[in-house]
Amino acid sequence: MTDDIKTFWEGYSGTYQAGTRIPVDIHYGPSSPNEDELNLLGDLKGRNVLEIGCGGAQCSVAFALRGARPTALDISAEQLRFARSLAVRHGVEIDFVQHDMADLEPIASASMDLVFSAFALQFVADRAGTFREVKRVLRPGGVFVFSLEHPFFRKVDGDTLMLVESCNETGPSLDKRGEHGHVTVHRYTISSLHQALVDAGLAVERIIEPDSRIRYAYDPWFGLRAKYVPKILDMVPATLIMKAIRPFD
């Protein structure tokens, strides 16, 4: 991750957590079903779970409440401060690690049954390198499930619903957040994500593009900013979810 991403989240974390009030749940992103509906992870009891780009760790707290042994990793000290407080309030134990999710060096090889990430990988430039690290820390047969912003969503103007750039444009882009400044996000195609997973030695099992016309009562992002309103959500998918497996060697 670039330095501006860490700096941005150190300054924006408090506002973001207070504004979204993300529930303790295994969620995937705006206008998306949660884990109770998708059932991508299976029984979590007794499993070692690593959440990368954990933010406030609402998902990791939910993992712990379901009997998992979570490790929650994020680059932002402020996000982890919120996460630790949340874990205390819910009476769960989580191993917190402040580190760049693009480099999982603090995590031992073949130590995890599941690696999970919700709406964080768009902040990573070298996703191929991250996927290789994910494979390294997963045990054979381990599962990698992640979500991120659907690549089409950023291509459409929320007011006019007109394309603002080619769907073929990839690479870094500045996401302006008003008074909070801007942060670098990295554009991609679904095929490039799929290929990066395959190149890392992971077997892709599912690709899910939730129908963003459906409203979910537990969705904390609906109506947040001009991005997540019916006008655009009825036309363009907001979230992309992928599931991959580390094969047995």
Side-chain angles (χ1 to χ4, degrees):
M1 288 181 170
T2 55
D3 289 341
D4 78 306
I5 292 172
K6 182 179 187 300
T7 300
F8 173 80
W9 281 108
E10 299 294 20
Y12 186 48
S13 173
T15 299
Y16 178 74
Q17 296 296 345
T20 54
R21 294 183 174 274
I22 299 170
V24 169
D25 190 10
I26 305 172
H27 56 73
Y28 290 97
S31 294
S32 172
N34 63 9
E35 173 60 15
D36 287 340
E37 294 198 37
L38 292 177
N39 193 28
L40 298 175
L41 309 181
D43 185 6
L44 293 168
K45 189 173 182 179
R47 298 173 73 192
N48 292 337
V49 179
L50 171 65
E51 182 180 8
I52 57 176
C54 70
Q58 288 87 353
C59 292
S60 282
V61 172
F63 294 148
L65 290 172
R66 297 184 186 208
R69 295 187 292 265
T71 299
L73 179 148
D74 200 275
I75 198 171
S76 165
E78 280 300 303
Q79 289 278 64
L80 290 177
R81 183 190 63 79
F82 178 93
R84 288 188 177 96
S85 176
L86 187 69
V88 169
R89 291 204 303 272
H90 286 270
V92 297
E93 293 187 6
I94 297 173
D95 184 14
F96 290 104
V97 179
Q98 184 179 359
H99 204 75
D100 188 342
M101 65 184 287
D103 171 18
L104 303 180
E105 183 272 335
I107 310 301
S109 297
S111 62
M112 294 293 159
D113 301 299
L114 168 68
V115 176
F116 176 89
S117 181
F119 241 67
L121 278 163
Q122 58 260 38
F123 298 112
V124 175
D126 182 15
R127 279 177 294 270
T130 301
F131 293 164
R132 289 192 295 271
E133 279 287 271
V134 167
K135 185 197 175 189
R136 178 184 66 78
V137 304
L138 278 175
R139 293 170 176 156
V143 175
F144 178 34
V145 176
F146 67 90
S147 67
L148 69 177
E149 186 174 74
H150 196 288
F152 290 173
F153 195 73
R154 199 167 288 272
K155 307 297 186 182
V156 176
D157 182 271
D159 293 322
T160 66
L161 301 183
M162 300 292 290
L163 284 172
V164 293
E165 68 176 18
S166 168
C167 290
N168 298 308
E169 289 290 336
T170 59
S173 176
L174 290 182
D175 184 12
K176 297 178 181 178
R177 301 286 180 99
E179 64 184 42
H180 302 289
H182 62 267
V183 63
T184 302
V185 295
H186 297 274
R187 298 165 295 177
Y188 45 85
T189 62
I190 296 174
S191 61
S192 69
L193 291 173
H194 183 279
Q195 191 61 52
L197 289 165
V198 171
D199 290 346
L202 296 164
V204 178
E205 184 176 275
R206 291 189 67 182
I207 299 175
I208 302 170
E209 298 172 276
D211 185 343
S212 58
R213 295 172 296 181
I214 301 171
R215 307 288 174 251
Y216 299 96
Y218 49 73
D219 178 1
W221 296 278
F222 182 73
L224 185 66
R225 302 165 55 205
K227 288 178 66 175
Y228 302 122
V229 295
K231 183 176 182 179
I232 185 168
L233 292 172
D234 287 349
M235 300 295 292
V236 186
T239 298
L240 173 70
I241 305 167
M242 302 184 77
K243 177 179 181 179
I245 309 293
R246 175 177 175 174
F248 288 91
D249 299 329

